[in-house]
Amino acid sequence: MALIYIEYDFKVNPAQPATDILIAELGEVGFESFVENETGLLAYILKSEWKEGLLDDFFILQHPDFEISWTRTEIEQKNWNAEWEKNFHPIKVGDRCMVRAPFHEAEAVEYDIVIEPKMSFGTGHHQTTYMMLQHILDADFEGKSVLDMGCGTGVLAILAKKRGAGPVDAIDIDEWCFLNSKENVERNDCADIAVFQGDSALLDGRKYDVILANINRNILLEDIPIYAQCLRKGGNLFLSGFYLEDLDAISSKCKAHGLEFEKKLEKDNWISAKYVN
């Protein structure tokens, strides 16, 4: 007998960080699968787990800065792997780096990174990941100690390691991301990357030459003072996960903590910026 699911089709504006917060809240009440798309998010929960008023107490749905609407449809079980594969596309940075899933064909690039995130990148994550990969390819990582904060799949930590960095730490608050990063660092022969589950509270007393943080505006603004404390003199801080209109606020916060803006990359209104101390 086929399992019956409830599909929620959320329209989200602006997409970030609302979609990330929405996914976190949905996961807490039993939603199993998520597919980000151009208009927002598809989310799935077993009909047997659904109950009236399931979304009533969601913080993000009551936030005045975001417009979120949704429709609900009853469907039979989908082939989730096929759904994910349909929505996940490789990220290729010139002819130097490619981030792909195992089912994508390899190409002749300097750095071939294979990950299996088990859900598609969000519509913004392609842009922010792409720009952070650009920064890593353009910078000197040889022998540098590196932190990948909010590591997700661990892809930034993996490229930094392949570029000669060490030691490399990767941290994410989400258990799924923590476990997935551990799998991916082993898959890419980078098992010596240390992966931790937690938030910026784990950084007390740690020092790094380079910090990579591809998260979202609000968390970055909250954690920039901690990053500044953890960054060695002459170090580099690379930030992404925010829009062009957020750049002034991010740069002002960095400047207040001794970090000077050096350059930015821009893709579809998403920003990735480099700061130095």
Side-chain angles (χ1 to χ4, degrees), residues 8-254:
Y8 277 75
D9 185 352
F10 291 96
K11 309 299 183 188
V12 185
N13 183 44
Q16 292 297 342
T19 301
D20 288 343
I21 299 170
L22 180 58
I23 289 173
E25 293 198 271
L26 291 168
E28 290 291 327
V29 297
F31 282 77
E32 295 182 2
S33 302
F34 309 95
V35 178
E36 293 182 62
N37 55 31
E38 293 299 326
T39 58
L41 177 73
L42 299 176
Y44 300 89
I45 185 171
L46 275 170
K47 185 179 180 181
S48 59
E49 297 293 319
W50 182 88
K51 61 180 181 291
E52 198 69 48
L54 193 65
L55 310 183
D56 286 354
D57 296 327
F58 275 31
F59 161 80
I60 194 61
L61 298 181
Q62 302 167 33
H63 199 290
D65 292 344
F66 304 103
E67 296 178 9
I68 304 177
S69 61
W70 63 91
T71 56
R72 191 177 74 218
T73 308
E74 187 175 299
I75 60 171
E76 289 194 359
Q77 185 176 19
K78 286 192 175 187
N79 181 334
W80 300 116
N81 286 337
E83 191 72 15
W84 170 65
E85 291 182 17
K86 182 176 70 177
N87 285 277
F88 176 67
H89 306 285
I91 301 173
K92 190 175 180 185
V93 185
D95 60 358
R96 296 193 66 194
C97 179
M98 184 174 183
V99 181
R100 62 183 179 87
F103 54 80
H104 293 133
E105 189 172 339
E107 297 185 19
V109 292
E110 188 176 356
Y111 303 104
D112 180 38
I113 300 175
V114 180
I115 64 169
E116 193 160 4
K118 303 187 178 75
M119 77 168 60
S120 85
F121 280 101
T123 53
H125 292 279
H126 266 102
Q127 290 90 325
T128 59
T129 304
Y130 181 95
M131 291 185 291
M132 290 293 276
L133 294 171
Q134 279 185 297
H135 277 307
I136 297 172
L137 291 170
D138 290 341
D140 176 17
F141 276 76
E142 191 65 40
K144 302 288 181 67
S145 56
V146 174
L147 167 66
D148 180 2
M149 192 69 200
C151 58
T153 62
V155 61
L156 301 182
I158 291 167
L159 181 59
K161 185 66 181 178
K162 289 180 178 289
R163 295 271 294 142
V168 178
D169 291 342
I171 298 176
D172 204 290
I173 195 170
D174 184 81
E175 183 182 14
W176 175 88
C177 292
F178 163 70
L179 295 172
N180 189 236
S181 289
K182 287 179 71 70
E183 293 173 4
N184 287 325
V185 299
E186 292 177 3
R187 180 178 286 112
N188 288 275
D189 299 321
C190 296
D192 53 342
I193 293 174
V195 184
F196 303 94
Q197 183 180 357
D199 58 17
S200 57
L202 292 178
L203 300 180
D204 187 35
R206 295 175 184 261
K207 291 288 186 180
Y208 299 95
D209 299 311
V210 180
I211 296 176
L212 309 163
N214 182 14
I215 310 180
N216 66 57
R217 174 191 185 275
N218 293 340
I219 293 177
L220 292 177
L221 287 171
E222 184 178 335
D223 286 350
I224 282 169
I226 300 171
Y227 301 155
Q229 290 178 356
C230 294
L231 199 62
R232 290 195 176 99
K233 189 62 181 174
N236 296 325
L237 172 65
F238 297 95
L239 302 178
S240 196
F242 57 93
Y243 295 110
L244 179 61
E245 50 266 33
D246 301 319
L247 180 61
D248 286 346
I250 296 288
S251 294
S252 294
K253 190 78 168 186
C254 285

